[in-house]
Structures are given as structure tokens and as C-alpha cells.
Amino acid sequence: MQERAPNTKKLYIKTWGCQMNSYDSGRMADILRPLGYRAVDAPEGADMVILNTCHIREKATDKVFSDLGRLRPLKEQKEAEGGKMLVAVAGCVAQAEGDFILERAPYVDMVFGPQTYHELPEMVLKANGNERIVNTDFDGDNKFDKLPEEHLNSGVSAFLSIQEGCDKFCTYCVVPYTRGAEYSRDVRAIIDEARRLVDAGALEITVLGQNVNAFHGVGPDGSIWGLGQLLRALNEIDGLERLRYTTSHPGDMDDDLIAAHGELDKLQPFLHLPVQSGSNKILKAMNRKHTRDLYFDVIERLRKARPDLAFSSDFIVGFPGETEEDFEDTMDLVRRVGFASCYSFKFSARPGTPAANMQNLVHESIATERLARLQGLLNEQQIAFNKKCVGLTLPVLLDRKGKKPGQLVGRSPFNQSVFVEAPDRLMNTIAQIQISEGFENSLTGSVVTGETESRAAS
Ligand code: 5AD
Ligand code: SF4
């Protein structure tokens, strides 16, 4: 399509890390649009490049600097052609490293943290005037109120940030430092944004927060709403078909939220509920503020509310002081719960966090070996779960084209990727798919020819 704006500028954003970062990248593109920036798929020739970074585990900073190194010649080339490429580092590495990035990479124009991107137009103006910007404020401004209402390219499966930051201070985690104190948006603003996303074509909304089930937003009546109450209101939105939320803390799964899983038809039967370890001693050292028994109890109550609910989790192995017995407690927890899919990581000391100064480090080779054992078990469970779906007919939200011609890809209610041969007109719809095979990371199936199909054919 012909672009009408005469002074269209190319914006390339590279995103690392969590879904909150994906949401933020989309919102940065939205806020830069009135300034003439349009998103492109590659940094070559771009007028602005933003690296939206993640600091949660090791080597994040190194990766950013190696990416910056690759941008340098592109920036020089643009300048040689008489243009200008603004290079920006955003996200949690920007928050954590601040000035250091400008010192080490003199060709970087802007460094700004996750709480500041509503100030992007002003920052861009200054940077275009050759000022170098470092903005890592947590100034208490509500950035969400200052972002444009319109979402562009939010898609059929959209993210919506409802909560940011975290007050839990798990001893290994940088989030309370990079994202700041816990903050919940107002209910009215969230519901309005959800309606706009649905009007723009969203069939599925995933509400996001670093600690999403600690949500406590001001409701339209002035009272404080929890996540369960918010999900009930979102469930009422006409045209919305699916609701999800992530990421939750086991200690914040209250009765109302658990009950919502049994009551809300749009809430999908899949929950990411990180536990990190199965050992009470390690959970305590991690300052997780919950025990393994609390985790079992929450899982049991959730399964009672919604028997087909599938779980995923996050695990850290090799946390300082983890003995073989502690690790066996983790393996035991995994066996007892049974997960549909999981993420697992070796402990990585993050500078500035309490765990970075802990003694009793677990030797790298032991941590590697434990991670392999844990991942072996988790993979077995994931394959078993996927194979159990064979023969079922599942509603799949088809939102991507596959690599093979005529192939579409989407997500099942249990968040599995499903590959199917389907006509293009089923793109961006929820189609009934009969599952024929289950693999480690995906399912395949075929479209069930239902009413819609036969009507279309007649
Ligand atoms: N080391 C290893 N894994 C970590 N995570 C967070 N911080 C660390 C760390 N320092 C993992 C946790 C969290 C996920 C997003 O990343 O499992 O749930
Ligand atoms: Fe980090 Fe713990 Fe907060 Fe999760 S709950 S964001 S792991 S501090």
C-alpha cells in the first residue's frame, strides 16, 4: 500500500524477554507513529533502532553490546548517506546499566527504562538535536495514561498490561529493581483498552503483569478489585472469545481467582504458575514466601474448580545451597503435579540481588547435570500431555501462517502450537481442529468440517 505521509521514518524494534516487553514494544511503536515512524523488519537503513532488552538472566548485557556493535556500521552508513539513525537501548538492561551503556557505546543516542517510554516523543526530539539521553526515572507518573489510546497491529491475540513491577523481592530476581514497585492500573482504563482491542479484531486477550495476580486496581465504584473480579468483567465483553493471564505468584492465588477458573467460559484452561523449587529450604532462601505444600494446595483447589486445567511453571536449579536432596524435592514436586509445559533455568547471579552474595554456590557441572535431569522429566511430561490430546477436537485460534504452503498455525486452549492444513479464510478465526498427532513442542490436526464450512460450500 502507498504510504501517504511524505516524511515517513523507519523504526526497527528488537524485543527480548517476556510478554511485558512485547507489549511495551508495541506501545512504543504506537507512541512514535504520530512522529512519522513506521515499523520495519530489519535495522538496515532505519531512522531509529530500539533494542528492548531483558535483564532477567545472564549475558543479557553482553548480548546487547554485541547487537549494538552490529548496528554501528549501519549507523555510520546512514550518516555517510546524509541521514541519521537514532540508536536506543530500552527495557531492563537500560534500567540496570544506565550511563554505563553510553560510556561503553558512544554511538548510542538514548537509554531509557521501562517506566519512561511515554516520554519518547520528547526524548526523540532531544536526541535529534544531538543530545544524548539517559532516562531511568521511576517518577510515579502513570505512563499508561499518557500513551495513545489506539493500538496498531495488536492482532487477533493481544496483550494488555494491567499491572507492573513487583514487591516480592525473590532473592535471585532483578524485576523489583528494574520494573520498580508494584502498580495496578485502574479497572475502567483496562476495560476500555480491552474493548478497543476487541474492536480492532482481538479474539483473545492475555492480561499481563510481572505479578499479575497481585492485581489490586481501583474499580469504577472506587473499591479495590482483585484479578478474579477484573476477569469476570472482561469475560462480559462481546466479541472477546478467550482470556488468559500471566505471570502469577502461588501466594496470590486467592479464592475468588480460583473460583473464576470454574465460572468463566472465556478463561482458558491453562495457567502458568511458577514454583521455582520443590524444596522448602530453597524456597525460603529464595524468599518466595510460599512452601511446597501451599503450591500443592493451590493446584488441588484449581483442579477442583476446573478439572481440565493444565499447568506450566518456571524452575531454577543450582540455587546457592541446593543439595541433591533439595533437587530431589523439585523432581518429586514435578512428578506429583504433572505439567503440560515448563521453563527451567540454571541459577544466574544477578548483580545487586541478595542471592548474588550468597555462599554455598553449586558447582556449574552439578547445576548443568541437574538441569538436564529436570528437563528430561519435564519433556516426558510435555510429550505425554501432547499425546493425550490426540483424538480430541480442540478450538484453535489460527493466527500465523506455517512454513509449508497452505499451513496455518495457532494455539489450543492449553497453549499448545497446532499446525494444520487450512484455507486462508480460516486465518484469524477459531477453528475446530481434530488432533491427529502430538509431538514434543506441537500438535498437528485437521479442520473439522462443520456448519460454517458446509454453509460456505452450499
Ligand atoms: N537465575 C535464573 N533464573 C532466573 N529467573 C529469574 N531470575 C533468575 C536468575 N537470577 C527465572 C525464574 C522466573 C523466570 C522468568 O526467569 O524462573 O520465573
Ligand atoms: Fe521476580 Fe519473584 Fe517478583 Fe516474580 S515474584 S517478578 S520472581 S521478585
Side-chain angles (χ1 to χ4, degrees), residues 347-360:
F347 168 69
S348 140
R350 311 310 294 128
T353 59
N357 300 324
M358 286 183 183
Q359 309 298 309
N360 303 328

Side-chain angles (χ1 to χ4, degrees), residues 166 168-170 172-173 175-176 210-211 249 276 288:
C166 182
K168 291 278 188 296
F169 289 93
C170 299
Y172 51 81
C173 185
V175 166
Q210 260 92 29
N211 203 350
H249 187 282
Q276 316 295 358
R288 285 289 294 175

Side-chain angles (χ1 to χ4, degrees), residues 18 54-58 170-175 210 247-248 272-277 286 288 313-317 319 343-351 353 355-356:
C18 64
C54 169
H55 201 232
I56 199 107
R57 283 175 299 274
E58 231 154 353
C170 299
T171 52
Y172 51 81
C173 185
V174 289
V175 166
Q210 260 92 29
T247 292
S248 297
H272 183 58
L273 194 59
V275 63
Q276 316 295 358
S277 170
M286 288 175 165
R288 285 289 294 175
S313 197
D314 289 341
F315 295 89
I316 298 177
V317 303
F319 190 80
Y343 300 93
S344 46
F345 315 98
K346 260 190 282 184
F347 168 69
S348 140
R350 311 310 294 128
T353 59

Side-chain angles (χ1 to χ4, degrees), residues 17 26 29 32 79 107 162 206 217 224 227 268 325 363 371 389 399 413-414 432 454 458:
L32 288 170
E79 273 166 16
Y107 44 94
I162 65 165
T206 303
I224 299 295
L227 182 59
Q268 296 301 288
E325 203 185 339
H363 197 277
L371 186 65
C389 294
D399 64 348
F414 307 114
Q432 295 297 325
S454 38
S458 65

Side-chain angles (χ1 to χ4, degrees), residues 383-411:
I383 293 171
F385 182 78
N386 287 346
K387 291 212 180 293
K388 235 174 53 188
C389 294
V390 173
L392 299 180
T393 296
L394 298 176
V396 175
L397 174 51
L398 297 167
D399 64 348
R400 280 175 291 147
K401 287 200 183 245
K403 285 207 180 103
K404 294 186 192 156
Q407 191 183 50
L408 298 181
V409 192
R411 295 266 167 189

